[in-house]
C-alpha cells in the first residue's frame, strides 16, 4: 500500500501550475492583442482616407506611367472643390495597370492618391487580414482557444480573399 501524501505537499504544485498557466495566458494574450493592434494601425494609415471621404478631393486617375513603386497620371475631379491636376501619384500594386482609370481619393496636402470604393477599402485593410491570420496561430497555440482561433483565421482569410477578387 502506498502511503498518502500530506495535503500541504501537493498545494504548492497546484498553485505554481496555476501561476504558470496564468502567465502563459497573459503573455500570449498580450502578443495576440499587439499583433491585432499593429494590423489595425498599419491599415488605418490608408483606410482613413478611403473610408472618411467627407471634405477630401475625390476623382479619377488615368494612369499613364508606372515605375517600380509608383504609378502616375492625371487627376480628374468628381467632388466639389477638387481641382484637376496634371500629375498625381498612385501606389503601384498588382491591381494598378498603365492605361486604366481608377477612382481615387487624394491624401490631404499632397498629390498622393489612394484607391476608393470597395476595392480601395478592402485593399487598405489587407494588413489587418494578415494580422488576423497570424493572431489565430497565437490564439490556438498559446491560448488553446481553437474556436476563437478559427474565427480569427476565417475572418482574415475572408478579408484577403475578398481583397484579391475586388482589386
Amino acid at each position: 500500500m502506498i502511503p498518502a501524501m500530506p495535503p500541504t505537499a501537493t498545494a504548492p504544485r497546484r498553485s505554481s501550475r496555476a501561476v504558470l498557466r496564468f502567465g502563459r495566458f497573459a503573455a500570449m494574450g498580450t502578443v495576440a492583442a499587439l499583433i491585432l493592434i499593429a494590423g489595425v494601425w498599419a491599415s488605418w494609415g490608408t483606410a482613413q482616407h478611403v473610408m472618411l471621404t467627407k471634405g477630401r478631393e475625390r476623382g479619377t486617375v488615368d494612369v499613364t506611367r508606372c515605375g517600380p513603386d509608383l504609378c502616375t497620371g492625371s487627376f480628374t475631379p468628381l467632388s466639389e472643390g477638387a481641382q484637376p491636376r496634371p500629375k498625381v501619384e498612385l501606389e503601384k500594386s498588382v491591381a494598378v495597370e498603365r492605361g486604366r482609370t481608377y477612382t481615387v481619393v487624394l491624401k490631404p496636402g499632397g498629390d498622393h492618391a489612394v484607391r476608393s470604393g470597395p476595392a480601395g477599402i478592402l485593399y487598405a485593410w489587407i494588413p489587418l487580414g494578415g494580422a488576423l491570420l497570424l493572431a489565430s496561430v497565437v490564439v490556438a497555440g498559446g491560448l488553446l482557444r481553437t474556436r476563437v482561433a478559427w474565427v480569427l483565421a476565417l475572418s482574415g482569410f475572408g478579408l484577403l480573399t475578398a481583397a484579391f477578387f475586388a482589386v
Side-chain angles (χ1 to χ4, degrees), residues 58-70:
R58 293 176 303 220
T60 60
V61 171
D62 299 317
V63 177
T64 54
R65 285 193 181 141
C66 281
D69 297 329
L70 294 173

Side-chain angles (χ1 to χ4, degrees), residues 127-139:
L128 177 62
L132 285 166
L133 286 175
L134 184 58
S136 72
V137 174
V138 173
V139 168

Side-chain angles (χ1 to χ4, degrees), residues 24-165:
R24 183 189 72 205
F25 184 80
M28 291 296 111
T30 302
V31 169
L34 286 175
I35 290 169
L36 292 173
I37 289 169
V40 171
W41 185 271
S43 297
W44 188 246
T46 302
Q48 66 179 327
H49 302 294
V50 178
M51 295 174 69
L52 307 173
T53 60
K54 188 175 182 180
R56 300 189 196 271
E57 294 184 77
R58 293 176 303 220
T60 60
V61 171
D62 299 317
V63 177
T64 54
R65 285 193 181 141
C66 281
D69 297 329
L70 294 173
C71 291
T72 59
S74 60
F75 175 75
T76 306
L78 294 176
S79 63
E80 282 186 37
Q83 301 295 321
R85 296 190 173 132
K87 181 182 175 187
V88 294
E89 298 174 341
L90 184 63
E91 181 181 327
K92 183 177 181 184
S93 69
V94 204
V96 177
E97 297 175 4
R98 194 173 132 214
R100 293 192 58 193
T101 302
Y102 301 97
T103 57
V104 297
V105 175
L106 293 182
K107 288 185 176 181
D111 290 332
H112 196 79
V114 291
R115 288 190 62 182
S116 63
I121 291 172
L122 288 170
Y123 182 72
W125 288 105
I126 284 177
L128 177 62
L132 285 166
L133 286 175
L134 184 58
S136 72
V137 174
V138 173
V139 168
L143 298 177
L144 304 176
R145 304 283 189 244
T146 54
R147 289 184 185 156
V148 176
W150 274 109
V151 169
L152 290 172
L154 291 174
S155 299
F157 182 74
L159 178 59
L160 294 174
T161 303
F164 176 78
F165 287 112

